[in-house]
Amino acid sequence: MDQFEHHEETNENWHMAHAEAEQVLDDVAFYRTLIANVIFLGKEGADDWVLVDCGIGHYSKRIMEAAEKRYGGKPPQAIILTHGHFDHVGSAKKLADHWRVPIYIHPMEMDYVTGKRDYPVGDATVGGGLFAIMSPFFPTDPVDLSKYIHPIPNDGNLPFLKEWRVIHTPGHTPGHISLFRDKDRTLITGDAFITVKQESSLAVFIQHQHVHGPPAYFTHNWNEAEKSVQKLAKLNPAVAVTGHGLPMEDELLANQLSDLATNFKELAVPKHKNKEH
C-alpha cells in the first residue's frame, strides 16, 4: 500500500478541504478512505454518535475533519471495528489517541489487533484485477490497539448502539461482524458482502455498483462466508452500507443480494477454490 499512502500524503490539503461524510439516512453517513468506507452513526450535530471502521492509514486527519463537519468537534462514544484488516483499522490508533475513546471488536478478532497474530497473506490467484495481484503485498501484520480495544459482549449488545444488533458474519475473517437495525432494516455489512468488485482497481476507482461477495484475496473460509451472506439476505435489508462501494437500497439491493445468496459458489467463490468449497 506504500504507493497509495504516498499518493494520499501529497494530496493532503486537497483531501482535507473535501473531507465530508455523505449522508445515507438522517443518522447514517459514510466517508471513503480511498478504497474503504468509514461509517458515521448518529444524526448531524448529535452528541451521541459512533464511528464504524477506520479506513486505511494516513486518513485520520480527514476522518477527523469529516467528523468535525458533521458533529462539531464532539468525539464519538466509541469506535466499532467490523474486523481487523489494514483497510479497516489503518487510522484506528490515531483516532483513538485523538478522541480518547474505546474501540470494540469481536472476541475472535482480538489477537489480530493486539499484536499477537497475523492474518494470512493475500491470495493473488483469485484473479479479477490489479488489487488481487497486489494483495500479497498488502499489510497483514497485527496492529496493536491494546490500549483501547475491548471485546464486543457475548450477547452482541452495546449500550451506545441500543437500536442496533451485532451479527457475527465470519468467513472473510473469523470474527467479522455486521450491524443491523430492525426498525428500518438498515444493514452495515463490513466486508461480509460489498457493492464493488474490490479485486479490480478500475471498478474501485469508478465505483461501479453491484453486490459482490467479500474481497476474494483476503477471504479464507468460503463456507463460512457463504453462510454469512445467506444470514444477511434473510434479514431482507432495505439499505446496505458496505465496507467497499456505494450504499444500495430497495429492490436493486434485494434482487442482487438474493442472487448472491442463492448462487454464492458461482458468483463469489474463485473457480479454483470451488473444489475446496
Side-chain angles (χ1 to χ4, degrees), residues 80-95:
I80 310 296
L81 298 176
T82 60
H83 60 298
H85 280 156
F86 79 98
D87 50 344
H88 293 258
V89 306
S91 295
K93 189 175 186 304
K94 287 186 178 179
L95 291 173

Side-chain angles (χ1 to χ4, degrees), residues 171-183:
H172 185 57
T173 68
H176 189 286
I177 65 158
S178 302
L179 298 172
F180 187 67
R181 185 165 62 183
D182 290 273
K183 73 174 186 179

Side-chain angles (χ1 to χ4, degrees), residues 167-272:
I167 301 171
H168 185 207
T169 45
H172 185 57
T173 68
H176 189 286
I177 65 158
S178 302
L179 298 172
F180 187 67
R181 185 165 62 183
D182 290 273
K183 73 174 186 179
D184 59 1
R185 306 196 328 275
T186 300
L187 178 65
I188 311 298
T189 74
D191 285 0
F193 72 82
I194 56 179
T195 57
V196 69
K197 186 176 176 61
Q198 189 62 25
E199 296 79 21
S200 165
S201 59
L202 178 61
V204 169
F205 287 118
I206 67 174
Q207 290 291 284
H208 181 264
Q209 191 180 40
H210 196 281
V211 171
H212 289 273
Y217 48 78
F218 269 169
T219 300
H220 295 275
N221 189 323
W222 288 103
N223 285 310
E224 290 296 322
E226 179 179 28
K227 292 175 185 175
S228 291
V229 166
Q230 292 170 345
K231 183 189 298 184
L232 296 179
K234 287 179 181 177
L235 296 172
N236 189 28
V239 180
V241 188
T242 61
H244 303 272
L246 297 171
M248 288 182 70
E249 59 184 356
D250 301 331
E251 188 175 353
L252 182 64
L253 170 63
N255 291 340
Q256 292 188 11
L257 181 55
S258 175
D259 189 30
L260 179 64
T262 303
N263 302 292
F264 188 85
K265 293 180 179 66
E266 293 76 18
L267 296 177
V269 183
K271 288 182 173 58
H272 68 290

